[in-house]
Amino acid sequence: MNNRMVLWMKHNIFLECILGIYAVIFFSYPKIGIQAIYNSGYYIKEMLMIMPVIFILTALLDSFVPKEMILRTLGKEAKLKGVFFSFLLGSISAGPIYAAFPICTMLHKKGATIRNLIIIISSWAVVKIPMLINEAKFLGLKFMLVRWGLTILSILLFSFLAGLIVKDDDLPREKEEQKIGVTINRTACMGCTVCTKKYPELFEMDGKKARVKEVKEVEMERLLETISSCPVKAIDNAVSSIQNTTVYIDQ
Amino acid sequence: MDIFTLAVWILTGGLLLFFFQKDKRRTKDALKKAFFMGKGMAASIFAVIFAIGLLLAILPPATIASFIGKQNETLAMIAAAGFGTITLIPAFIAFPLIGTLRSAGVGIMPSVAFLTTLTMVGVVTFPLEKREFGRKFAITRNLLSFVFALVIAFVMGVVL
C-alpha cells in the first residue's frame, strides 16, 4: 500500500507541483489564489458534465464496432475502400495517439499502404466523434463542422503526399521486442481475468493478478485485441511502455 | 445543461440500454473500461485544470486577447501552432479553454492552429513514433501535419 502511494506520487509530480504553487500563491497573493480557484471551478464543472459520457461513448464504440472486419479489409485492399476504412478505424478507436502505433505496424505487415497508416494515425488524433460534440458545444456548430471538413480534406491530401515521400522500405523491419515485450503492470491490474479468458495461451492468473506466460510466439492480432479489452490498460506491449511517462490521454 | 451536453447524455443512455439488451457482459466491460479510463486520467486532468485556472488568474483572458491582438496575425498563428505542438492538454479541456479565449477576443486563426497541432503533432510522442515507423515516416507525418494545421487555421480565418 505504501509502495503504491510512492508510485502514485511519482506519476503525479505535475499535480503536486501545481498544488505547491497554489500554496505559495495563497500565502502571498490571496486574491489571485481565489480567482484561480474560481477559474478552475468553471472548468471542473464543465469537465464533469461532459467527460463521463465521452468516456462511456468512446468505450462503447471501441467495444462494439466490429474492428476485426475493418482490420481484415485494410490488410488486403488499398483503394478507396481502404481510405474509408482507415478513417473509420481512426475515428472510432479509443485511446491516445500512440495506441494507434502498434496497430498500424501490424497493418503495415499485412499490406496496408503508408497512406492508410497516416490516415489512421491522423484521424485517430483529431476525428473523434465524441470530441466533435464537445467542440460544437464550446466553439459552435459551424466552427466544428468547418474545422472537421477541412481536417478531413487535409488528411486526405497530406497522406497522399506522405505516401509519395515515404516508401515501404523506410519503415523498420520486424522487431524482436514484439515477441517478448509483453508485460503486466501489476499495480494497475485488478484481476478481472478478461485477458486470461481472451488469450489463455499467453496470460494466466497468479493469485489476484494476471501474469504473462513464457511463450515463443505471439499472435499480434489477438494480443492487441486483448490489450485493448483490458479495462485498466495494464498490459504493456513494450512499444506502449511510454504510457507511464506520458500523463495525458489525448482523445 | 446546454442542448449539446443533454443530447450526448440522452444518446449515450439510449446506446447503453440498446447494447445492454444485446450483450450484457460486453456492455459491462465497456463501462468498466470507461470508468478506469477516467480514473487513470483524473489526476492529470485536475492538474491541468488547476494550472489553467492559475494561469488565467495571473493573465486574464482579456489581457491575453489584447496581447495576441497586437501581434502580427500570421506570427500569432505560428506561435499558437508551436504552442500546441509542445503542450499536452486533453482535448476536452482545450475546447472550453479556447472557448473562453475566443469570447475574450482571441482571433480564429491562432485558436484553430493551437487546437489542431495539439492533437495531431506531438513532440512527446515523437521518439515512440520514430522507433515504430522510422525517422523518415515520423518526420514526414509531423511536418506535414504542422503545415496543414496552419493551412486549416488560415482557411478558417478567411471563411469564418
Side-chain angles (χ1 to χ4, degrees):
Chain A
M1 205 57 212
N2 223 344
N3 217 345
R4 256 180 113 153
M5 265 305 263
V6 174
L7 242 147
W8 192 88
M9 301 271 286
K10 255 191 190 163
H11 283 174
N12 296 292
I13 288 178
F14 186 46
L15 179 62
E16 285 139 31
C17 288
I18 295 290
L19 292 179
I21 296 172
Y22 264 83
V24 175
I25 292 267
F26 257 104
F27 192 69
S28 34
Y29 306 96
K31 250 191 188 159
I32 290 183
I34 290 166
Q35 180 64 36
I37 293 283
Y38 177 80
N39 291 343
S40 309
Y42 164 74
Y43 290 109
I44 290 174
K45 195 190 93 202
E46 290 296 344
M47 176 199 74
L48 288 179
M49 267 200 311
I50 194 88
M51 209 181 63
V53 257
I54 287 188
F55 280 141
I56 294 173
L57 214 53
T58 311
L60 279 179
L61 280 176
D62 198 49
S63 323
F64 279 97
V65 177
K67 263 192 224 155
E68 297 76 18
M69 190 263 288
I70 300 178
L71 293 180
R72 237 180 295 129
T73 317
L74 265 178
K76 292 179 211 136
E77 204 147 343
K79 301 279 177 209
L80 214 62
K81 211 170 162 191
V83 169
F84 176 74
F85 274 114
S86 301
F87 268 112
L88 194 64
L89 179 66
S91 327
I92 55 159
S93 300
I97 183 169
Y98 49 81
F101 295 165
I103 293 173
C104 285
T105 319
M106 181 198 81
L107 284 173
H108 184 245
K109 242 181 266 162
K110 291 195 167 178
T113 56
I114 301 274
R115 179 174 190 194
N116 285 345
L117 296 194
I118 301 261
I119 295 179
I120 294 170
I121 296 175
S122 308
S123 56
W124 195 295
V126 255
V127 197
K128 289 279 184 237
I129 292 159
M131 275 302 140
L132 296 176
I133 303 166
N134 200 17
E135 179 169 354
K137 176 182 160 173
F138 287 105
L139 296 162
L141 192 63
K142 198 173 156 200
F143 183 102
M144 180 276 273
L145 285 175
V146 174
R147 196 174 83 96
W148 190 59
L150 285 173
T151 306
I152 290 190
L153 271 178
S154 304
I155 294 177
L156 274 175
L157 221 99
F158 77 69
S159 64
F160 175 74
L161 288 176
L164 294 179
I165 299 169
V166 184
K167 297 284 163 243
D168 285 319
D169 294 339
D170 293 326
L171 265 63
R173 309 220 160 227
E174 291 265 341
K175 279 169 290 147
E176 278 165 44
E177 62 180 1
Q178 286 193 338
K179 282 182 182 164
I180 46 162
V182 189
T183 50
I184 287 185
N185 177 353
R186 289 179 66 93
T187 34
C189 176
M190 50 166 202
C192 69
T193 72
V194 165
C195 57
T196 55
K197 277 178 202 142
K198 281 219 150 173
Y199 201 163
E201 293 85 0
L202 186 62
F203 298 101
E204 62 186 355
M205 292 309 288
D206 171 24
K208 281 187 177 168
K209 310 267 174 180
R211 178 167 65 187
V212 184
K213 285 190 195 172
E214 299 228 346
V215 286
K216 281 188 192 137
E217 289 235 312
V218 170
E219 287 170 58
M220 238 1 225
E221 222 165 320
R222 271 181 85 190
L223 173 63
L224 289 172
E225 210 199 307
T226 313
I227 289 178
S228 73
S229 62
C230 173
V232 287
K233 300 261 175 269
I235 307 172
D236 260 346
N237 179 20
V239 283
S240 49
S241 58
I242 196 178
Q243 239 148 349
N244 286 338
T245 45
T246 313
V247 259
Y248 311 113
I249 302 187
D250 256 307
Q251 290 283 343
Chain B
M1 219 181 257
D2 60 299
I3 184 130
F4 278 118
T5 319
L6 201 66
V8 189
W9 276 96
I10 292 170
L11 177 83
T12 310
L15 276 177
L16 263 179
L17 275 178
F18 172 75
F19 282 126
F20 198 73
Q21 264 184 338
K22 242 177 106 186
D23 190 339
K24 242 182 191 173
R25 240 192 63 202
R26 250 168 107 183
T27 312
K28 269 190 191 160
D29 277 350
L31 276 176
K32 237 186 201 174
K33 203 193 256 178
F35 175 75
F36 283 100
M37 254 199 276
K39 197 183 155 203
M41 290 168 67
S44 16
I45 290 171
F46 278 109
V48 173
I49 289 184
F50 280 119
I52 290 173
L54 185 62
L55 181 81
L56 293 183
I58 297 167
L59 285 174
T63 315
I64 298 178
S66 82
F67 176 76
I68 295 177
K70 276 184 208 138
Q71 313 300 313
N72 178 310
E73 199 161 16
T74 317
L75 249 138
M77 179 174 81
I78 295 172
F83 203 60
T85 303
I86 53 169
T87 39
L88 269 172
I89 300 176
F92 48 82
I93 296 171
F95 291 130
L97 172 67
I98 293 297
T100 312
L101 291 176
R102 287 269 304 134
S103 46
V106 171
I108 204 159
M109 288 191 203
S111 309
V112 177
F114 175 76
L115 275 180
T116 310
T117 52
L118 186 67
T119 42
M120 216 155 51
V121 192
V123 167
V124 182
T125 47
F126 185 82
L128 193 70
E129 193 174 342
K130 193 180 112 191
R131 198 171 66 189
E132 195 77 354
F133 301 108
R135 183 191 297 269
K136 199 168 171 189
F137 181 99
I139 291 178
T140 309
R141 195 194 71 79
N142 280 289
L143 265 183
L144 283 174
S145 300
F146 189 86
V147 171
F148 274 87
L150 292 180
V151 173
I152 294 171
F154 184 77
V155 174
M156 275 193 76
V158 174
V159 172
L160 289 186

